[in-house]
Amino acid sequence: MKKVVSVLLLACTAVAMTTGVSMAQDAKLAPISDYVTSDVKPWLNDPAIIEAIKAQNVANANLGQADIDALDKKWRAEVDGSDHTMIDGVLGNALSKFLQEKKAASNGKISEIFVMDAKGLNVGQSDPTSDFWQGDEGKFQKSFGAGKDAVFVDEIEKDESTQTLQSQASVTISDDKGTPIGAITVGVNVDAL
């Protein structure tokens, strides 16, 4: 009997410790989630976003994985190379201009923004990303992949280039019928909240 009680006490302690860590992490992420809900979600149904995603979904409807991999490889080569034709094309589009304005208006709270289509490919962005395809990453899989109204707030990490604490919050974007059509990831500067 004594052994059973000891095992139960250890199990309860482990559950309490696990829950405490989870609750502590949730408490750290809550301000990020609150910021996204109050300051980002209100503009996610803007026609600049919705129409750009819809157009790219149509354009990319027949892309297979080999095509996606080739686009991603080209983007990555441009990040490190001197030819930035593909990157400049995305950074120069109307959606990217819209996202750059939203970033500038955030007073330092947003470090980056990028919008993805239904395949996880960049549609627009405030700043160049290191890759073009986000579909294989949690930011896309835990937002778009989780369906309508999904919000995924990733861990807080120190950004080496800016020396600030940041987290990426990703939200599913749906059309006026409520059908998920893409996702957005917003880099939030935790120090500025």
Side-chain angles (χ1 to χ4, degrees), residues 27 29-42 151 153 193:
L29 299 180
I32 299 159
S33 182
D34 293 345
Y35 174 73
V36 168
T37 298
S38 65
D39 291 63
V40 175
K41 276 189 165 185
V151 177
V153 180
L193 292 181

Side-chain angles (χ1 to χ4, degrees), residues 48-49 51-54 56-57 60 89-91 93 95-96 99 114-118 121-125 132 183:
I49 295 175
E51 297 309 316
I53 295 172
K54 284 182 174 181
Q56 187 159 307
N57 281 344
N60 290 343
V90 174
L91 281 174
N93 72 28
L95 176 57
S96 292
L99 298 175
F114 51 95
V115 171
M116 301 153 276
D117 66 13
L121 296 168
N122 293 348
V123 180
Q125 56 205 71
F132 185 63

Side-chain angles (χ1 to χ4, degrees), residues 8 43 48 51 54 59 62 68-69 89 94 142-143 149 184-185:
L8 284 173
W43 47 264
E51 297 309 316
K54 284 182 174 181
N62 295 321
I68 291 169
D69 291 342
K142 294 180 181 181
S143 59
D149 299 326
I184 188 169
T185 294

Side-chain angles (χ1 to χ4, degrees), residues 173-185:
I173 298 174
S174 298
D175 64 14
D176 58 350
K177 296 175 185 152
T179 304
I181 58 171
I184 188 169
T185 294

